[in-house]
Amino acid sequence: MQTVEDLSIFIRQKAKLLHSTSRAMIYNAGSKTASTEYKNDHPFLLKQPLYCRYASKSVLHDYFFQRRVNQDFLSLEYIQEGQIYIRSESKAYLLEAGDLCLIHPGHKSGLLHLPDNRCRKYGVIIGGNGLEETLRLLHLTHTSCFSLPDSQH
């Protein structure tokens, strides 16, 4: 994992609106191949303290960019192979195989893959009315990136 000082790499990317609610917006550009994808927004789950809204295993070969404004979920991004740039608020990183990033609710964030390598990653979106308290109890209330040196690539 490397820290990225120049955030302009995220700011100058163009993207189209993918999803919008009264508070949050997600913009997308480029392409990704989702090998496996799971979505669940059943009304029963929306009342649970924690639940998985979305999980995917993605393979990125070409350009891919996603901008999220005031996301209403916790996003976990684990890099299995290759590299991807991830921004949350005023911090940005170049994540590599074995790195995990938590992007917190309410943040302006971005994911950027440039077509000079292949990236395989897992993404999990967690929601629920107990999310904030869970993050506080686990001392994970800020955007955090971790290297998991013992993980299998």
Side-chain angles (χ1 to χ4, degrees):
M1 169 180 26
Q2 301 171 36
T3 302
V4 175
E5 299 296 331
D6 183 8
L7 299 181
S8 69
I9 190 171
F10 294 94
I11 296 167
R12 66 178 178 245
Q13 303 300 320
K14 305 280 189 236
K16 294 182 180 181
L17 184 63
L18 174 69
H19 175 76
S20 177
T21 66
S22 61
R23 296 179 351 126
M25 292 173 284
I26 298 177
Y27 299 85
N28 241 13
S31 63
K32 72 176 180 176
T33 304
S35 305
T36 308
E37 190 172 68
Y38 165 82
K39 286 184 184 181
N40 197 344
D41 56 0
H42 190 279
F44 171 76
L45 287 176
L46 300 177
K47 298 175 185 172
Q48 301 307 307
L50 289 176
Y51 67 95
C52 177
R53 276 172 55 175
Y54 176 85
S56 71
K57 179 179 180 181
S58 300
V59 179
L60 305 170
H61 296 281
D62 299 317
Y63 171 79
F64 172 76
F65 176 68
Q66 188 172 80
R67 177 180 293 125
R68 301 172 182 168
V69 179
N70 200 27
Q71 67 185 36
D72 61 348
F73 50 81
L74 174 70
S75 176
L76 291 92
E77 302 291 336
Y78 174 74
I79 311 309
Q80 184 179 25
E81 176 188 334
Q83 300 176 325
I84 190 168
Y85 291 92
I86 293 187
R87 172 192 176 201
S88 184
E89 293 293 322
S90 62
K91 295 180 182 175
Y93 304 93
L94 175 60
L95 298 185
E96 302 167 312
D99 291 341
L100 171 72
C101 188
L102 283 66
I103 304 171
H104 289 265
H107 286 197
K108 290 181 182 176
S109 60
L111 287 82
L112 174 63
H113 178 263
L114 300 175
D116 55 352
N117 71 58
R118 180 175 104 152
C119 178
R120 288 190 309 165
K121 72 176 195 67
Y122 292 94
V124 177
I125 291 177
I126 298 174
N129 55 23
L131 180 58
E132 187 176 319
E133 179 66 10
T134 301
L135 292 171
R136 188 187 66 74
L137 289 171
L138 295 173
H139 304 285
L140 296 171
T141 55
H142 302 287
T143 303
S144 302
C145 290
F146 308 93
S147 288
L148 304 173
D150 295 333
S151 64
Q152 295 179 351
H153 305 290

